[in-house]
Amino acid sequence: MVTFVRATAEDGGARSAPPRHGSADPTLRTSLRVRPVVPGGTCAPTLAHERPVITDATMTALHAALTGLQQRQEVTADNIANIDTPGYLAGRVDFESTLRSELANGQSAMVGDSAVRQSTDPTRTNGNNVNLDTETTIATETGLRYQLALNALNGKYDLLRSALRTS
């Protein structure tokens, strides 16, 4: 479940109002349990007991990246849906820094809901800080990165299939 930390007047932060669209309201959002589809029709594993027998650090990192990119796509869609909602503050997903540090420390690569934060961009007079140009750029870049990660994961599975055929 994705959660947002809303700034309050006591925090000295920007105003926040409940979003008009239910999908963007973090208190109403339910976990869809949707995981990225990988070649062969399987889903990216999220639990330890679901992880495939044949895996390595690269595959685990790619699965985590796909999860983070999916989360970014959802938050960007919510931002666009609430572009005219007074007081709505855009969400931002930054999973790359966490993923990078986990990999550098030799930890298992995982992306959690803590990667979602509110944008600190300036607000308009109605308290909303969603910019359609920024959101469109983020959506396009996220789609390209998602495709790149899928291609890399597909390459890893192709190597495994090739090795299994020749043995």
Side-chain angles (χ1 to χ4, degrees), residues 6 13-14 25 28 56 89 91 109 114 127 131-132 136 147 164 167:
R6 293 202 181 266
D25 186 352
L28 298 176
D56 62 6
L89 298 176
S114 62
N131 181 324
L132 185 59
T136 303
Q147 188 62 45
L164 291 171
S167 59

Side-chain angles (χ1 to χ4, degrees), residues 58-74:
T58 303
M59 293 172 85
T60 304
L62 287 170
H63 284 295
L66 287 169
T67 302
L69 290 167
Q70 175 190 2
Q71 197 174 45
R72 182 175 289 152
Q73 287 174 331
E74 291 172 358

Side-chain angles (χ1 to χ4, degrees), residues 2 26 28 30 48 59 66 72 81 104 115-116 123 127 141:
V2 177
L28 298 176
T30 58
M59 293 172 85
L66 287 169
R72 182 175 289 152
V116 180
T123 60
E141 182 179 297

Side-chain angles (χ1 to χ4, degrees), residues 103-134:
L103 292 173
N105 294 331
Q107 298 173 335
S108 178
M110 296 185 66
V111 174
D113 294 334
S114 62
V116 180
R117 303 275 185 253
Q118 276 187 331
S119 172
T120 57
D121 294 343
T123 60
R124 296 188 301 272
T125 56
N126 68 354
N128 186 311
N129 69 349
V130 179
N131 181 324
L132 185 59
D133 292 338
T134 302

